[in-house]
Amino acid sequence: MRVRDRRRLTMSLFDLAHACLRSSNPDEKLELTHAAASAWLPRLARGEMVPHEAAGPAPIEEPGRPPRPRLVLPRDVPQRKLSTPEGRAALLHAVVHIEFNAINLAWDAAYRFRGLPADYYADWIRVADDEARHFAMLRARLADLGYEYGDFDAHNGLWEMATKTADDRVARMALVPRVLEARGLDVTPGMIERLRSVGDHATAALLAVILEEEVAHVAAGSRWFAHGCREAGLDPGPVFHSLLARHGATVARGPFNRAARLAAGFSAAELDSLAAGAG
């Protein structure tokens, strides 16, 4: 690691999380994320307390990201056929972009919300570390196909929901991991099968690894959503539905990956209710 980054590791947990979040160079963000995880996860596992800081988090703003890809409305992201090499690269690029956003989302969850148990910060640092690894794996595969991150347009939907929930930890846990990121549990199996059907077994294998690991990330959202509801003496079921309505979030149409969602902290009754609403 560069000397400058070693000095960063002497920062507080929150300052370091913010530095990771604000880094706009993907390689630097990956390097700093992995170093931060190596530095802090053992300390949190030993039960080290996260120091209270008088200064709260800075107002949420756009995270560090490279100049490309160009961000457009979701409806303006062109659809391409998987039967073409460019179409497969475009699909992969969309997932690469999701993983890059996921690094920022995890670091913002660690940075923005204060006064929580050490396990909370360990969870989101671990998620950031995983997402950085996923991004690197997929970006390398994209390079194998002759493209770079930024070669296709992308949208900013994940971060827009983070902005909406910047002042409400329970809403953040409900609507980012348990709605937007959980959708990946539903659609990735179909993506894997489609890629296999056109002979792209290398990309399909990477997505299979990521799908398995993403269950734990959504589970972290479920765990800390339930924790926030317990603190407030609230029933998570009605709270989840009220947050969906308040923030204009929609659960996409099924079918849902019930096995993955159950493993990620959804109850059977909750999934039945979501399926009925989506239908």
Side-chain angles (χ1 to χ4, degrees), residues 49-209:
M49 298 294 293
V50 178
H52 173 75
E53 293 191 359
I60 195 165
E61 54 188 14
E62 290 300 302
R65 60 165 66 99
R68 299 168 61 241
R70 185 172 70 108
L71 298 180
V72 299
L73 294 173
R75 66 172 181 266
D76 294 330
V77 178
Q79 300 296 311
R80 294 176 172 87
K81 294 182 178 180
L82 280 185
S83 57
T84 67
E86 184 183 39
R88 292 192 290 277
L91 173 66
L92 180 56
H93 185 277
V95 183
V96 172
H97 181 65
I98 288 170
E99 297 298 326
F100 188 81
N101 270 280
I103 303 169
N104 288 328
L105 289 165
W107 278 123
D108 192 72
Y111 168 72
R112 189 152 306 283
F113 303 112
R114 309 293 172 92
L116 291 157
D119 284 349
Y120 172 87
Y121 300 104
D123 272 350
W124 294 110
I125 293 171
R126 194 174 295 111
V127 170
D129 196 43
D130 285 349
E131 303 292 16
R133 180 167 44 83
H134 294 172
F135 172 81
M137 290 164 49
L138 294 173
R139 185 175 60 163
R141 176 59 186 155
L142 188 64
D144 290 342
L145 299 179
Y147 294 87
E148 297 179 358
Y149 178 49
D151 283 349
F152 298 90
D153 291 345
H155 69 79
N156 201 29
L158 281 169
W159 192 256
E160 288 170 359
M161 184 58 77
T163 301
K164 290 181 181 180
T165 58
D167 297 322
D168 187 339
R169 170 173 49 92
V170 174
R172 171 69 68 84
M173 296 296 108
L175 300 180
V176 174
R178 302 189 89 235
V179 173
L180 300 181
E181 295 187 45
R183 188 58 183 154
L185 305 182
D186 304 328
V187 303
T188 303
M191 292 167 55
I192 291 170
E193 289 306 313
R194 290 167 63 203
L195 287 164
R196 287 173 177 162
S197 73
V198 296
D200 191 348
H201 297 283
T203 304
L206 292 178
L207 292 184
V209 170

Side-chain angles (χ1 to χ4, degrees), residues 247-279:
H247 291 278
T250 57
V251 177
R253 294 172 60 186
F256 297 118
N257 185 341
R258 288 183 68 92
R261 282 180 176 259
L262 287 169
F266 288 81
S267 70
E270 187 176 24
L271 289 176
D272 290 341
S273 176
L274 290 175

Side-chain angles (χ1 to χ4, degrees), residues 18-40:
H18 199 227
C20 292
L21 177 65
R22 296 300 304 150
S23 177
S24 59
N25 180 286
D27 291 322
E28 180 187 62
K29 190 185 290 284
L30 297 185
E31 183 182 22
L32 188 53
T33 292
H34 293 317
S38 295
W40 270 96

Side-chain angles (χ1 to χ4, degrees), residues 198-223:
V198 296
D200 191 348
H201 297 283
T203 304
L206 292 178
L207 292 184
V209 170
I210 290 170
L211 173 61
E212 181 178 355
E213 295 183 353
E214 290 292 343
V215 171
H217 302 173
V218 179
S222 293
R223 183 161 50 253

